[in-house]
Amino acid sequence: MAHLLARGLLVLSALGLSGCAAFSPDSGMTAVSDLASQTISKDVAFVRTAEGAAAVDARVRQLLARTLSADAAVQIALLNNKGLQAAYNELALAETDLVEQSLPPNPVFSISRISGNGASEIERQVVGDILALATLPFRSDIARERFRGAQLRAALATLRLAADVRRAYVHTVAGNETVVLLTDAKATAESTAQLAVKLGETGSLNKLDQAREQVFYAETTADLATARQAATSARERLARLMGLWDDGLDFRLPNQLPPLPRRPQALPSIEVDAVAHRIDLQIARLELAALAKALNLTEATRFVTLLDLAGISRRTQDPEGPPFRERGFDVQFQIPIFDGGEVRVRQAAETYNLAFNRLTERAVNVRSEARDAYRAYRSTYDIASHYQREIIPLRKIITEEMQLRFSSMQVDIFALLTEARQRLASLRGAIDARQRFFLAQADLQTAVNGGGAAAAGGETSTTIAAAAPADGGSH
């Protein structure tokens, strides 16, 4: 009987092994790569070998050799950011959980020998967890759902990094453009302040007008210092996101932001697209499906949480008689007297309900975020376009007319400088408007596909997944 039981355990284990998961060659990165390619048209790489690191380094150097565009900066970050590589390591760890949950429990072999007064007894046992074998397909299915969620979380980290790089790129280029503008304005203000001092010494300019010119120079100097600091900090943030070391910090950026597109995007079904494509929603749906299966497994095993079967073979040697063998089996199971599994079932049910409500809340928020992001995108486009079509051309006409009147001595130098200050304010407003548009454009993409800041709902879903037992509480 013991031999039959041992053989039965081995057969069950072999059947379980035939359907278990195995490690994939890329640790599940194909799904991440496909999502990145479809969503943002960029390549990703999970660097695990020296050859892979050398290939990534060569690609990064090639991209850094040219003036960086926003797309090039995003590509460098996706290849070179070590925090993203750590997220891919987490995906590889999630695959180990999948493989572990898909393997049948190892049988336990034990042997003992007892002797005394010339007699001896040798006992052999093989013990198998029958309940774990019976629930293996269910646990494997739950683990597979959670591994798919881990793939989506890795893709979400990829999109989040891409969105952060685009924002940092816009801040950096706009900051550099503002620094150039204020540098020119400071030079003009300095010349004006010096002229005001000379005119004041001759009595041609009163103290009030002198102070006005000098304070404009002082304020412009302070604004320039602030703009330089902001531009430097933005550049450092961009360098951090791209994962650049000492030899890559001298990357080149364009002198100004790109021009506005000829017309804004028309997205009449943006809410539907966001609900269908948002990765954080997909993660929440997978977590809900996994929790539903875990709930079913918990309900199915609420009364039986322990079922071990052991095959026993015992050989006894007695000096007063011939040796003899004994064979048998041993079954262990819990008697649900005090705990009938109601606590575990209630916990699993409430965890499922919590995840369902979080998913519903997240879906409502996603629709609202998509609407708000599109409204911000359209309004910032209209404002930046208004500066480009109306305000800046009118300021140019005013400047040209003032210079003509100054040449014909119809206005003095201070009237011309007053107009220069107003033109400076308009140019700064135009830069800020274009910066806001490109930031809104990045936010619009994250509102549709995901990749924005971590939402409370998404964090809760992750916490729920970690808290729920992988085997539905069948221990």
Side-chain angles (χ1 to χ4, degrees):
M1 176 66 70
H3 291 300
L4 291 175
L5 288 172
R7 189 177 300 114
L9 288 173
L10 291 174
V11 170
L12 286 174
S13 300
L15 290 175
L17 282 170
S18 64
C20 67
F23 288 106
S24 59
D26 61 348
S27 300
M29 280 295 297
T30 299
V32 180
S33 179
D34 291 343
L35 277 171
S37 177
Q38 295 167 7
T39 305
I40 56 177
S41 301
K42 293 292 178 289
D43 299 326
V44 296
F46 186 16
V47 180
R48 307 176 74 178
T49 63
E51 293 79 7
V56 165
D57 186 63
R59 180 82 182 278
V60 169
R61 290 180 182 277
Q62 180 184 12
L63 292 170
L64 288 173
R66 301 187 295 269
T67 301
L68 283 184
S69 63
D71 287 337
V74 169
Q75 185 60 80
I76 290 173
L78 296 186
L79 296 175
N80 204 46
N81 185 282
K82 300 307 179 185
L84 185 61
Q85 292 296 311
Y88 296 160
N89 290 130
E90 292 179 356
L91 174 58
L93 288 173
E95 188 182 37
T96 65
D97 293 335
L98 168 62
V99 174
E100 181 182 23
Q101 291 298 324
S102 301
L103 292 174
N106 291 323
V108 178
F109 292 92
S110 67
I111 183 170
S112 61
R113 183 177 185 276
I114 301 174
S115 62
N117 296 327
S120 65
E121 182 179 276
I122 299 176
E123 181 178 283
R124 302 176 183 87
Q125 290 190 35
V126 54
V127 184
D129 190 341
I130 302 302
L131 183 62
L133 281 174
T135 58
L136 178 62
F138 304 98
R139 293 186 291 110
S140 178
D141 197 21
I142 294 170
R144 196 169 290 107
E145 294 279 356
R146 287 182 172 152
F147 176 65
R148 175 61 179 158
Q151 289 178 309
L152 291 178
R153 282 191 290 274
L156 184 61
T158 303
L159 296 186
R160 185 167 294 159
L161 176 62
D164 288 343
V165 171
R166 286 192 182 278
R167 295 187 188 102
Y169 180 89
V170 170
H171 283 301
T172 305
V173 176
N176 292 341
E177 193 173 353
T178 301
V179 167
V180 172
L181 180 65
L182 289 176
T183 300
D184 294 339
K186 179 189 174 185
T188 302
E190 184 178 16
S191 300
T192 304
Q194 293 174 352
L195 177 61
V197 170
K198 293 180 180 178
L199 292 176
E201 292 174 351
T202 62
S204 301
L205 194 67
N206 58 44
K207 272 191 170 184
L208 177 60
D209 291 333
Q210 289 183 59
R212 284 172 177 167
E213 301 307 323
Q214 290 170 354
V215 77
F216 176 65
Y217 170 61
E219 289 174 346
T220 305
T221 302
D223 286 347
L224 177 58
T226 302
R228 281 176 173 164
Q229 175 57 43
T232 301
S233 296
R235 184 183 176 92
E236 286 294 340
R237 172 167 171 75
L238 179 60
R240 289 196 301 270
L241 290 172
M242 291 192 295
L244 297 181
W245 203 247
D246 294 341
D247 55 350
L249 296 178
D250 57 346
F251 56 90
R252 299 193 306 273
L253 294 171
N255 296 325
Q256 59 185 9
L257 292 170
L260 297 175
R262 296 182 62 182
R263 59 181 61 88
Q265 299 179 50
L267 300 173
S269 59
I270 184 172
E271 295 178 48
V272 177
D273 292 340
V275 172
H277 297 108
R278 278 284 289 257
I279 294 182
D280 51 353
L281 272 183
Q282 296 180 46
I283 293 172
R285 293 189 191 106
L286 284 172
E287 292 293 350
L288 190 65
L291 288 173
K293 293 176 181 178
L295 174 59
N296 292 335
L297 182 58
T298 301
E299 291 176 340
T301 60
R302 62 178 299 177
F303 296 112
V304 181
T305 59
L306 173 66
L307 180 57
D308 289 343
L309 177 63
I312 303 173
S313 175
R314 181 179 301 147
R315 183 178 185 276
T316 303
Q317 177 72 44
D318 192 336
E320 297 180 357
F324 62 93
R325 288 183 178 274
E326 297 174 292
R327 295 184 179 90
F329 65 92
D330 178 62
V331 178
Q332 294 185 24
F333 59 90
Q334 272 188 347
I335 302 176
I337 298 176
F338 304 108
D339 182 6
E342 183 179 355
V343 174
R344 292 186 296 108
V345 172
R346 182 66 63 87
Q347 288 175 339
E350 291 305 323
T351 301
Y352 174 83
N353 292 333
L354 190 154
F356 176 80
N357 289 325
R358 291 295 189 190
L359 173 60
T360 306
E361 177 196 30
R362 192 76 199 112
V364 172
N365 293 344
V366 162
R367 291 173 66 91
S368 175
E369 290 167 7
R371 293 193 301 268
D372 187 50
Y374 186 68
R375 279 194 292 264
Y377 168 79
R378 285 303 304 264
S379 63
T380 54
Y381 177 85
D382 293 340
I383 294 170
S385 179
H386 182 69
Y387 268 97
Q388 184 173 289
R389 291 195 318 266
E390 303 291 340
I391 297 177
I392 298 304
L394 288 174
R395 277 296 173 193
K396 183 179 180 182
I397 293 173
I398 293 172
T399 299
E400 292 173 352
E401 291 296 322
M402 289 293 291
Q403 289 175 346
L404 288 175
R405 283 164 174 72
F406 176 73
S407 299
S408 59
M409 304 185 70
Q410 297 179 28
V411 297
D412 60 11
I413 181 66
F414 296 106
L416 187 65
L417 292 174
T418 299
E419 191 282 325
R421 296 175 193 171
Q422 296 172 346
R423 182 170 181 269
L424 173 64
S426 297
L427 291 174
R428 293 186 69 176
I431 294 173
D432 183 65
R434 276 188 294 133
Q435 175 180 246
R436 290 178 182 274
F437 166 74
F438 285 110
L439 291 175
Q441 188 178 51
D443 292 340
L444 178 63
Q445 187 178 45
T446 63
V448 175
N449 299 313
E459 291 174 353
T460 303
S461 297
T462 303
T463 304
I464 292 169
D471 57 357
S474 61
H475 295 294

